């Protein structure tokens, strides 16, 4: 059973940047693709960015050109660099693998507000 620990969320002004981290244990990290999701209160989690085992990235349209997903197999960690943040990026951010783990981490809260 994988353990997922997200971190790096904060309160930031519009136009600012944050780097989220997801540390993974209990799973063979390098064997999986990994995805960042976000959830606004009362809504379902939505995919933000995915990175394949080989490092190919894909993004939801609303973050293309602003967010960058990356992975460090040696550290079993997946990152999300978020630039040019907008108020609509405010959410709790989670990571999970493909196929998904049954259990989720606690998430990390990102608030974009002036």
């Amino acid at each position: 059973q994988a353990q997922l620990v997200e971190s790096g969320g904060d309160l930031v002004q519009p136009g600012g940047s944050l780097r989220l981290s997801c540390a993974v244990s209990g799973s063979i990290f390098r064997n999986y693709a990994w995805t960042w999701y976000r959830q606004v209160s009362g809504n379902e989690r939505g995919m933000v960015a995915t990175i394949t085992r080989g490092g190919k990235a894909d993004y939801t349209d609303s973050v293309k050109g602003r967010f960058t997903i990356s992975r460090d197999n040696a550290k079993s960690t997946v990152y999300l660099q978020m630039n040019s943040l907008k108020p609509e990026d405010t959410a709790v951010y989670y990571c999970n693998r493909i196929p998904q783990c049954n259990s989720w981490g606690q998430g990390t809260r990102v608030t974009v507000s002036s």
Side-chain angles (χ1 to χ4, degrees):
Q1 184 78 347
Q3 289 81 48
L4 312 172
V5 179
E6 300 92 349
S7 62
D10 205 345
L11 170 64
V12 62
Q13 293 187 345
S17 297
L18 285 174
R19 188 194 195 203
L20 306 185
S21 299
C22 172
V24 178
S25 60
S27 180
I28 304 176
F29 179 86
R30 65 180 180 275
N31 285 358
Y32 296 95
W34 292 88
T35 296
W36 279 99
Y37 299 84
R38 63 187 178 189
Q39 185 175 29
V40 178
S41 179
N43 294 336
E44 292 185 357
R45 289 188 186 102
M47 189 277 284
V48 177
T50 296
I51 188 164
T52 67
R53 290 186 298 173
K56 181 180 179 181
D58 192 22
Y59 303 91
T60 193
D61 286 346
S62 62
V63 308
K64 286 180 180 177
R66 300 189 298 122
F67 290 11
T68 302
I69 188 171
S70 61
R71 62 189 295 160
D72 187 332
N73 289 343
K75 296 182 177 180
S76 296
T77 300
V78 58
Y79 303 98
L80 187 67
Q81 177 67 42
M82 306 189 297
N83 299 328
S84 302
L85 282 161
K86 304 176 180 180
E88 51 263 43
D89 296 318
T90 296
V92 179
Y93 285 72
Y94 301 86
C95 68
N96 210 319
R97 70 182 192 200
I98 299 174
Q100 285 183 356
C101 301
N102 290 331
S103 61
W104 292 76
Q106 82 288 349
T108 187
R109 182 174 298 276
V110 173
T111 303
V112 185
S113 175
S114 55

